[in-house]
Amino acid sequence: MGDETRRQQAREDFKRARMDGLFQDMVARMRGRPDELLPFEEVRQKLHGASGVSREQRRIPLKAIIGSVGRYQDFNRDFLPRTAQDRERWASVSLAIEDKPNLPPIEVYQIGEAFFVQDGNHRVSIANRRGREDILANVTRIETPVTLSSEADMLEVIRLSEYAAFLEQTNLHEHFPDADLKLSEPGGYETLEQQVEVVHFSLQRESRREITYEEALRAWYTEYFLPTVEIIQNHNLLRRYPGRTEADLYVWLHRHRSALMRESGWEISPDAAAADLNARAAGGLRLLIQRTVSPDSGTGAWREEHLSRELGHIFGDILVLLDPEQPSLLPQALAIASEEGSHLLGLFIDPQGAGREGTFPRLRASFEQSCREAGVAGQLAYGRGDPAGILKARSRWADLAVLPAPVEGSDRKEYHRLVDSCQIPVWVARGTWEGCRRVLLAFDGSPKAKEALFLTAYLSVFWEFSVTVVTVEEAGMPPETLQNAVQYLEKYNVDTRPVQASARPVEAILEAAGQAQANLIVTGGYHSRRLLPSAIGHTLDTLLGRVEVPLLICR
């Protein structure tokens, strides 16, 4: 075959390659996916790359070549030609490869896992066209504080450039070489830098000495970032948000928590904010359907969440619904918070909206003074509107709700709705309370009664009280119900006294509580059927009107 014929075939091959490239570019634009080679110098600068530190000859995968030093506009990502003016050069190199298969190595720069052609763009193009998998190259490695993947596009470079700038600013990688704070979206590193500055300022103010930036950085990473990442892992947020990084979720959680605190007026813990973020990702429709079909279907969710925590006091955040007409309410909430080392979330609900300029400011001053005197951290928030609706939205930030007892002559249904709006245990304040010594557990073996049994056993570990367990003889209750409850409590070394009563449920509970001199009664919630012989809620409603000690209602 003559030289001119071979050259003509090479030109035709170039033409087909260029047409394939144009088609690829069109498809890429339609799909919104970039099909560009990356410019080496721009990438190097953005990633804070140093000068070449080493050079070696080896074969490199063609798929890992993602950019060029000077001809990144002449070829697409698969190194298919884009300009007709390149035809003769492309054909000449193609013929040279046929005549001399062992051409000199191409020259490339390596950044991370990616390569950029310095010399040999046409050889790469033709090798790709012929289906080769690798090519011989002289490789000069460029060191950068971040790693570039072989699938990176310019958006990834921009993200990594921000990461490189963050690392250069903080020197985090020098102090914590295994730290991985890559973000999948630009703009988040400013938040991280601001947090380090806040920690720096706080440490200097607390220690009253000069704190170095390195000390602040170490404190931020070990005391804020890593514990929050652990919370993210515990809530499986990475599974909820595929394709995101732990650093992404750290920034999101910080912003979400800040928004929640602005909205609520309370200090929201990172754990509570993560739970809310998880719930929003999961969606509430399935849970809403379950609760509509079966009101008891949510039973156990609170216990399951708290069992997943490390052993410790169980009421981290306590919501107290303040009522100026019930002065015993706040002291009981403060006493529990002191016992548990809790944070108090005060809430004043004004259905008519008149309290902003009247009752609320006075109540807030009194609340803050009471918290200071008790040595309890607390914040008071204001809500206007339907109390049950507000309480339902707010109770998700707490582990226990302390509510006022129903006043005589009040609407039972409204109070029932108020208690049932809480998805957490409810402490109904009655009389005075200075700590548990003797507890009465009203138990019927139902799901919500089992929640009460769990909480009683758990609290007994820290509050060290004795328990009287009372069950009521009635048709349908298995005879081993009382025995099972006693055995459960005894596993926790709780001093337990069983009572099998034959009286009506309310009378049986009140009589047993009086004999035991109980200063707390624990029971299941409104939909516990076995202690409700006449109507749903009748026993609990009657009990709420007659007890003289606090009542702990469990879901």
Side-chain angles (χ1 to χ4, degrees):
M1 184 183 298
D3 289 346
E4 186 57 34
T5 302
R6 292 175 59 222
R7 177 168 290 277
Q8 186 59 36
Q9 288 182 346
R11 290 169 180 157
E12 290 297 321
D13 192 20
F14 169 83
K15 182 178 179 180
R16 288 190 293 272
R18 182 166 175 264
M19 292 301 296
D20 288 346
L22 292 173
F23 179 75
Q24 279 188 3
D25 291 348
M26 180 182 68
V27 172
R29 284 194 297 271
M30 291 174 62
R31 293 180 176 177
R33 297 175 181 173
D35 195 31
E36 314 292 329
L37 286 176
L38 304 186
F40 166 74
E41 187 56 31
E42 184 177 351
V43 172
R44 186 190 68 79
Q45 290 181 10
K46 286 184 179 297
L47 301 189
H48 299 252
S51 301
V53 295
S54 63
R55 189 171 185 268
E56 62 176 338
Q57 187 177 110
R58 56 188 168 91
R59 302 196 74 82
I60 63 173
L62 287 165
K63 289 293 184 182
I65 301 175
I66 67 171
S68 175
V69 173
R71 307 204 62 173
Y72 52 88
Q73 294 180 328
D74 296 342
F75 301 90
N76 71 3
R77 191 61 173 255
D78 286 335
F79 270 85
L80 292 172
R82 281 179 162 171
T83 62
Q85 291 83 356
D86 215 26
R87 183 185 66 172
E88 293 303 322
R89 173 64 177 161
W90 199 92
S92 296
V93 173
S94 179
L95 292 175
I97 291 174
E98 290 179 5
D99 294 338
K100 299 177 181 179
N102 297 322
L103 289 177
I106 65 171
E107 301 287 333
V108 298
Y109 291 110
Q110 181 179 3
I111 299 179
E113 301 170 351
F115 298 90
F116 298 77
V117 180
Q118 179 188 18
D119 180 61
N121 292 279
H122 292 88
R123 277 173 278 170
V124 173
S125 177
I126 293 163
N128 264 314
R129 185 67 177 169
R130 295 180 178 181
R132 303 281 177 83
E133 293 187 356
D134 55 33
I135 192 170
L136 186 64
N138 290 323
V139 181
T140 300
R141 182 181 292 274
I142 305 296
E143 293 295 336
T144 60
V146 295
T147 299
L148 186 67
S149 77
S150 60
E151 298 179 355
D153 55 20
M154 206 58 201
L155 182 60
E156 174 69 8
V157 171
I158 292 172
R159 289 195 291 261
L160 288 175
S161 73
E162 293 187 358
Y163 189 22
F166 172 76
L167 293 178
E168 189 173 79
Q169 167 73 20
T170 62
N171 288 324
L172 180 71
H173 55 307
E174 294 184 7
H175 305 302
F176 302 99
D178 297 330
D180 184 1
L181 274 69
K182 287 194 291 292
L183 297 173
S184 63
E185 292 182 349
Y189 292 106
E190 183 178 351
T191 298
L192 302 184
E193 290 174 2
Q194 289 172 351
Q195 286 190 349
V196 176
E197 291 295 340
V198 169
V199 171
H200 195 183
F201 175 77
S202 299
L203 288 176
Q204 290 197 142
R205 185 180 60 183
E206 292 170 5
S207 64
R208 297 182 180 179
R209 68 176 179 86
E210 186 65 29
I211 301 292
T212 66
Y213 185 86
E214 178 184 334
E215 289 178 284
L217 179 71
R218 287 181 174 275
W220 170 78
Y221 184 72
T222 57
E223 298 174 23
Y224 292 87
F225 182 81
L226 291 181
T228 302
V229 167
E230 185 176 353
I231 290 172
I232 289 167
Q233 293 169 346
N234 290 340
H235 285 273
N236 294 316
L237 285 176
L238 286 172
R239 180 172 57 85
R240 295 291 189 193
Y241 296 92
R244 301 303 183 179
T245 67
E246 288 177 343
D248 282 331
L249 290 168
Y250 176 88
V251 173
W252 290 2
L253 187 58
H254 168 75
R255 293 173 177 171
H256 184 59
R257 183 184 174 212
S258 297
L260 292 174
M261 289 193 292
R262 287 193 301 270
E263 173 190 333
S264 67
W266 288 332
E267 178 74 19
I268 304 297
S269 70
D271 190 73
D276 186 72
L277 199 60
N278 195 1
R280 290 171 187 253
L285 180 60
R286 176 176 54 82
L287 186 59
L288 176 62
I289 293 173
Q290 286 179 346
R291 288 177 180 168
T292 302
V293 174
S294 172
D296 286 340
S297 63
T299 300
W302 185 89
R303 171 169 48 87
E304 182 179 348
E305 175 191 343
H306 285 72
L307 276 175
S308 67
R309 300 179 181 178
E310 294 183 8
L311 184 63
H313 291 285
I314 203 166
F315 300 135
D317 294 288
I318 298 175
L319 185 158
V320 53
L321 185 60
L322 294 185
D323 184 347
E325 303 300 321
Q326 295 205 30
S328 67
L329 189 64
L330 183 56
Q332 287 194 28
L334 288 169
I336 302 168
S338 297
E339 186 80 34
E340 287 281 291
S342 309
H343 181 254
L344 209 58
L345 303 176
L347 177 62
F348 172 66
I349 298 178
D350 181 13
Q352 305 302 322
R356 187 179 296 274
E357 289 140 8
T359 306
F360 181 67
R362 294 192 298 273
L363 193 62
R364 180 168 57 187
S366 174
F367 174 84
E368 292 174 351
Q369 180 179 350
S370 297
C371 287
R372 283 194 300 270
E373 292 173 352
V376 171
Q379 294 171 292
L380 182 63
Y382 173 88
R384 183 174 70 177
D386 173 44
I390 294 173
L391 195 59
K392 183 175 183 179
R394 296 273 185 157
S395 64
R396 71 185 192 272
W397 306 123
D399 303 305
L400 174 72
V402 179
L403 304 185
V407 297
E408 187 176 352
S410 62
D411 188 336
R412 281 188 177 185
K413 289 183 179 179
E414 279 303 306
Y415 193 81
H416 180 149
R417 196 166 73 91
L418 190 71
V419 171
D420 215 36
S421 66
C422 296
Q423 303 302 308
I424 54 178
V426 173
W427 182 288
V428 180
R430 276 282 195 201
T432 59
W433 186 82
E434 296 178 352
C436 281
R437 297 180 300 277
R438 291 168 295 277
V439 170
L440 179 88
L441 171 64
F443 188 74
D444 62 5
S446 64
K448 292 193 176 182
K450 289 178 180 177
E451 296 304 305
L453 176 64
F454 157 76
L455 188 53
T456 301
Y458 201 108
L459 289 176
S460 70
V461 174
F462 302 101
W463 293 10
E464 298 180 349
F465 47 69
S466 62
V467 178
T468 297
V469 185
V470 59
T471 60
V472 179
E473 293 179 356
E474 60 176 56
M477 181 180 293
E480 66 271 14
T481 299
L482 180 59
Q483 181 183 357
N484 290 342
V486 171
Q487 289 176 348
Y488 184 87
L489 291 169
E490 288 178 345
K491 285 195 306 183
Y492 292 88
N493 298 316
V494 181
D495 180 14
T496 308
R497 173 176 172 262
V499 174
Q500 182 81 49
S502 57
R504 294 173 62 85
V506 172
E507 302 302 328
I509 293 171
L510 293 175
E511 182 180 352
Q515 291 178 353
Q517 296 183 322
N519 60 346
L520 175 67
I521 296 175
V522 186
T523 183
Y526 270 105
H527 293 289
S528 180
R529 297 299 202 274
R530 295 190 183 279
L531 284 177
L532 310 178
S534 58
I536 294 175
H538 173 71
T539 297
L540 188 51
D541 283 336
T542 305
L543 199 60
L544 283 166
R546 295 182 59 182
V547 295
E548 297 179 356
V549 297
L551 190 66
L552 181 55
I553 304 171
C554 305
R555 294 191 57 83

